Amino acid sequence: MIGIFGGTFDPVHLGHLRTALDVFEALGLEELRLVPLGKAVHRAPPRFSAELRLEMLEAAVANQPGFVVDRREIDSDEPSYTVHTLESLRRELGDEVPLCLLLGRDAFAAFHTWREPERILRLAHLVVMERPGEALYLETPLEALVEGRITAMREELVRAPAGRILFQPVTQLDISATDIRARLDAGRSVRWLVPEAVLPLLETRR
Ligand code: ATP
């Protein structure tokens, strides 16, 4: 079973990494692919360049076995839609291997607004990471998508390549890239919010 964790990673922080590691261990994933966003569709362009976000991510996970940085969105000229990223991964990995798309609760709350959510659920399972400070309220279209798919059992994810939704409790770290960028703007330290290996990259290239 392979995990896919997409994000802007602008910059990568310990909230991303610790929670991804929690899921990696809890679900016994063989591999976790971190996919930095290429061309933003739903949000303002990132502060840091694609190459720097990639470099920071690579430095961050260099010592973590099983964690792989996947540059397919950054290398593509197309706008980054998760459904296309998953189709591209399926072409590489085949139809059989279970794929788990990791996303935070905030991202999940808007899942029905993504491009082709039903198709995403035919391509991957969803693993929703509980993020601090967010109550789960499912809007009706999301409720309809989720209907009959929720499971608490890892085995159900292993048995099918896609289509289930699992809520995974993770270490609660109230860290966001927005807050990190604000601290950098104010000339404050971001030590112990981002991996130590990322600090020099932020210092020299901001
Ligand atoms: P920004 O503040 O710029 O919006 P972010 O910190 O939310 O960024 P993203 O790269 O946009 O980071 O997030 C990628 C994914 O990681 C999303 O699914 C998001 O919900 C999840 N995530 C980010 N920070 C945390 C955290 N502290 N705990 C759990 N999940 C997180």
Side-chain angles (χ1 to χ4, degrees):
M1 194 152 67
I2 295 179
I4 314 294
F5 187 23
T8 316
F9 302 118
D10 187 34
V12 61
H13 55 70
L14 297 181
H16 297 127
L17 295 168
R18 183 60 241 180
T19 53
L21 185 55
D22 285 339
V23 174
F24 183 76
E25 290 188 326
L27 298 185
L29 299 177
E30 288 143 51
E31 189 177 289
L32 186 94
R33 297 220 183 178
L34 299 117
V35 189
L37 178 84
K39 289 199 173 43
V41 187
H42 293 299
R43 53 188 293 158
R47 161 84 58 92
F48 298 105
S49 71
E51 285 306 322
L52 181 54
R53 287 183 292 117
L54 197 62
E55 199 181 333
M56 291 191 283
L57 207 45
E58 272 165 359
V61 303
N63 295 323
Q64 176 54 47
F67 277 40
V68 175
V69 180
D70 186 311
R71 53 180 300 153
R72 77 188 61 222
E73 287 193 4
I74 280 180
D75 286 343
S76 164
D77 295 330
E78 302 296 317
S80 298
Y81 286 104
T82 299
V83 65
H84 297 156
T85 302
L86 290 173
E87 280 167 346
S88 162
L89 282 159
R90 278 287 175 210
R91 281 194 291 277
E92 178 190 326
L93 302 168
D95 292 336
E96 301 302 318
V97 61
L99 292 184
C100 296
L101 183 69
L102 278 59
L103 68 178
R105 236 187 193 188
D106 55 336
F108 175 68
F111 178 68
H112 57 290
T113 68
W114 291 20
R115 177 169 282 203
E116 297 190 67
E118 291 94 350
R119 178 142 183 76
I120 292 178
L121 284 163
R122 286 198 296 276
L123 291 159
H125 301 298
L126 300 187
V127 175
V128 183
M129 303 180 294
E130 310 275 6
R131 197 170 178 177
E134 277 143 11
L136 184 60
Y137 162 73
L138 298 189
E139 288 191 44
T140 316
L142 181 56
E143 237 175 28
L145 273 171
V146 163
E147 171 101 54
R149 297 183 181 277
I150 294 180
T151 179
M153 292 190 336
R154 170 191 187 269
E155 290 66 34
E156 290 203 24
L157 303 190
V158 175
R159 272 204 293 270
R164 308 312 303 255
I165 301 175
L166 183 138
F167 291 84
Q168 178 63 48
V170 291
T171 310
Q172 303 290 288
L173 291 165
D174 198 357
I175 302 174
S176 74
T178 303
D179 172 64
I180 288 169
R181 293 192 299 273
R183 286 175 200 253
L184 291 170
D185 287 344
R188 290 161 65 198
S189 170
V190 295
R191 170 162 274 154
W192 300 315
L193 295 173
V194 302
E196 200 69 17
V198 166
L199 277 179
L201 297 169
L202 281 172
E203 290 304 318
T204 53
R205 308 269 289 276
R206 74 167 90 147

